[in-house]
Amino acid sequence: MPVITCIDDLKRLHRRRTPKMFYDYAESGSWTEQTFRENTSDFDKIYLRQRVAIDMTGRSTASQMIGQNVSMPVGLAPVGMTGMQSADGEIKAARAAERFGVPFTLSTLSICSIEDVAENTEEPFWMQVYTLKDDDFMQRLFDRAKAAKCSAAVITVDLQLMGQRHKDIKNGLSAPPKLTAKSVANMMTKVRWGLGMLGTKRRFFGNVIGHAQGVTDGSSLATWIAEAFDQALDWDRIREFRKMWDGPLIIKGIMDPRDALEALNVGADAIIVSNHGGRQLDGAISSIRALPAIMDAVGDKIEVHLDSGIRSGQDVLKALAMGAKGTYIGRAYINGLGAMGEAGVTRALEVIHKELDVSMGLCGRRNVDSLDRDILMVPNDFEGRWA
Ligand code: GLV
């Protein structure tokens, strides 16, 4: 058993053990990958203020996200094709999350279906919803989430169009993978992954196949996003979704204070400041840099969460101290899943939890609700003075 001390250890194993096509899918940003890179490098520009000789006993990372108890405010973000990183990957990740006491968010673009995950877990999970043109599909998706007892819907609003990720095109990304000389040669070196895939029937987009109309190639993510997703999406349409779902609602993909206000007006319970992990608008600022202006605009009226760029507990601590009530990891847990399956997701959560707990203590704080900007040293021009 390899000694895992940080998310980078899991990432190295993920790369070694999972077909290149799927590792690359996770480890990509769009176009030049500027935003993808800056999501992480901007966290490094914020410093933590060390304090000493403060009683550090009795620390706790427990908190709440949208009123639900969490052992730390770090959810598992929706990630497409998770069941291609490891067989039945969404079920494995959901199980690891429920044991750890953090929310798991199932992507519309998952391999395991809503029903698969519900049947194989105990705790309610959250359902991420993409906005498709097909009204029946949308209503059924919300109904299926309700029948599966999902305790929140997360509507992603930043993918009307798909940002191009060069590697996916070059690798011919699909689920299940198309068998070309190159992909077969690569998959043959991933024995554990291959055995897992042979042992499951879940190799297609489980929420879509047999549910969505008008998709000509159901194995290609890019094709069915181009064909089925609603480029005409607007806030009135999002209001219709609000009516289709009467449970807690989170709107994901907010980068501008004006859009944060719109989400508030629609009646969302929380927003997620997110640039989709740098996978959509390349050239957008990092999500941690976008957070302060959004906190100023709506922070006292709605719960604000953040994803994109979090790879450590220190990053979580910085986002919380800047005002976020919750954070999400995507690639960090996918690295764990691709490296070691369910145990790897648990290990990713343990790593982040320990980093958060110890760093919080070394900043002189004992619980996450007491975190504020005072533990940070933020460069004066961090938020930018944009023309
Ligand atoms: C889908 O959400 C993707 O970013 O690939």
Side-chain angles (χ1 to χ4, degrees):
M1 181 91 164
V3 179
I4 304 293
T5 60
C6 58
I7 296 297
D8 256 355
D9 290 341
L10 293 169
K11 182 167 153 184
R12 272 189 291 276
L13 282 178
H14 178 199
R15 183 173 197 171
R16 204 181 302 154
R17 295 181 174 171
T18 306
K20 178 170 165 28
M21 177 186 297
F22 301 118
Y23 175 82
D24 281 353
Y25 169 69
E27 206 49 40
S28 287
S30 55
W31 311 100
T32 69
E33 301 193 330
Q34 178 194 357
T35 301
F36 169 61
R37 285 189 300 278
E38 291 184 4
N39 274 338
T40 51
S41 63
D42 276 352
F43 270 108
D44 298 340
K45 296 185 181 130
I46 300 172
Y47 291 88
L48 294 167
R49 201 183 287 275
Q50 173 177 309
R51 300 298 307 278
V52 296
I54 296 173
D55 182 359
M56 280 301 107
T57 56
R59 287 184 316 284
S60 167
T61 60
S63 178
Q64 292 201 326
M65 287 167 77
I66 54 160
Q68 300 177 19
N69 290 331
V70 292
S71 60
M72 63 175 173
V74 182
L76 300 194
V79 178
M81 306 180 105
T82 292
M84 282 288 133
Q85 303 290 353
S86 173
D88 303 330
E90 289 89 359
I91 293 172
K92 290 173 180 165
R95 283 188 175 156
E98 74 179 16
R99 295 219 176 96
F100 213 88
V102 295
F104 170 75
T105 319
L106 182 69
S107 169
T108 303
L109 305 177
S110 58
I111 301 300
C112 301
S113 68
I114 304 172
E115 294 77 13
D116 286 335
V117 177
E119 274 160 28
N120 289 283
T121 52
E122 304 288 327
E123 296 292 326
F125 56 97
W126 295 356
M127 183 66 209
Q128 180 265 347
V129 173
Y130 270 124
T131 54
L132 274 64
K133 288 180 275 194
D134 180 348
D135 232 25
D136 289 345
F137 176 85
M138 293 306 295
Q139 183 65 66
R140 260 185 289 121
L141 196 63
F142 285 116
D143 292 347
R144 290 167 67 197
K146 184 148 201 173
K149 303 203 166 40
C150 291
S151 56
V154 179
I155 302 186
T156 302
V157 292
D158 63 4
L159 202 137
Q160 283 158 269
L161 290 172
M162 196 176 183
Q164 178 171 307
R165 301 106 194 220
H166 303 318
K167 287 176 233 159
D168 294 349
I169 298 174
K170 292 187 169 109
N171 290 331
L173 177 73
S174 67
K178 293 204 173 71
L179 302 180
T180 63
K182 205 162 128 200
S183 71
V184 170
N186 181 254
M187 280 188 284
M188 279 170 54
T189 65
K190 319 291 176 188
V191 177
R192 194 191 317 211
W193 176 90
L195 291 174
M197 284 298 162
L198 287 175
T200 181
K201 289 197 195 70
R202 302 184 185 105
R203 292 192 287 258
F204 304 87
F205 288 105
N207 290 325
V208 182
I209 301 299
H211 295 280
Q213 311 289 322
V215 177
T216 54
D217 180 1
S219 72
S220 162
L221 191 78
T223 303
W224 80 260
I225 287 179
E227 289 174 346
F229 281 41
D230 186 8
Q231 289 193 22
L233 180 74
D234 60 14
W235 288 102
D236 286 338
R237 178 84 172 131
I238 295 169
R239 255 177 217 102
E240 288 172 19
F241 299 142
R242 170 74 284 195
K243 289 191 198 121
M244 291 182 188
W245 172 260
D246 57 8
L249 180 74
I250 304 174
I251 296 194
K252 172 175 179 284
I254 301 294
M255 288 290 287
D256 190 289
R258 289 166 295 185
D259 293 334
L261 284 166
E262 294 280 8
L264 177 71
N265 291 338
V266 160
D269 297 280
I271 56 170
I272 308 179
V273 176
S274 167
N275 55 34
H276 213 109
R279 302 163 71 77
Q280 284 294 96
L281 178 62
D282 185 38
I285 57 172
S286 64
S287 59
I288 191 64
R289 212 184 262 264
L291 179 64
I294 292 175
M295 288 306 305
D296 289 347
V298 298
D300 57 342
K301 300 184 195 76
I302 192 169
E303 223 174 270
V304 179
H305 301 172
L306 176 136
D307 77 16
S308 305
I310 292 183
R311 304 288 188 275
S312 70
Q314 297 88 296
D315 295 339
V316 173
L317 185 63
K318 291 172 187 177
L320 297 176
M322 298 268 268
K325 268 284 278 177
T327 64
Y328 300 81
I329 49 171
R331 295 182 179 90
Y333 90 81
I334 292 293
N335 290 153
L337 181 69
M340 295 156 55
E342 183 174 334
V345 179
T346 300
R347 195 71 197 106
L349 287 166
E350 287 168 352
V351 163
I352 301 252
H353 177 261
K354 179 161 191 198
E355 290 169 342
L356 172 61
D357 174 49
V358 172
S359 306
M360 180 173 78
L362 293 174
C363 286
R365 300 295 169 94
R366 288 191 289 196
N367 57 69
V368 295
D369 292 332
S370 72
L371 298 174
D372 55 29
R373 287 282 279 258
D374 196 48
I375 68 160
L376 300 180
M377 298 166 83
V378 183
N380 280 333
D381 62 349
F382 186 72
E383 290 165 43
R385 281 182 297 278
W386 313 112

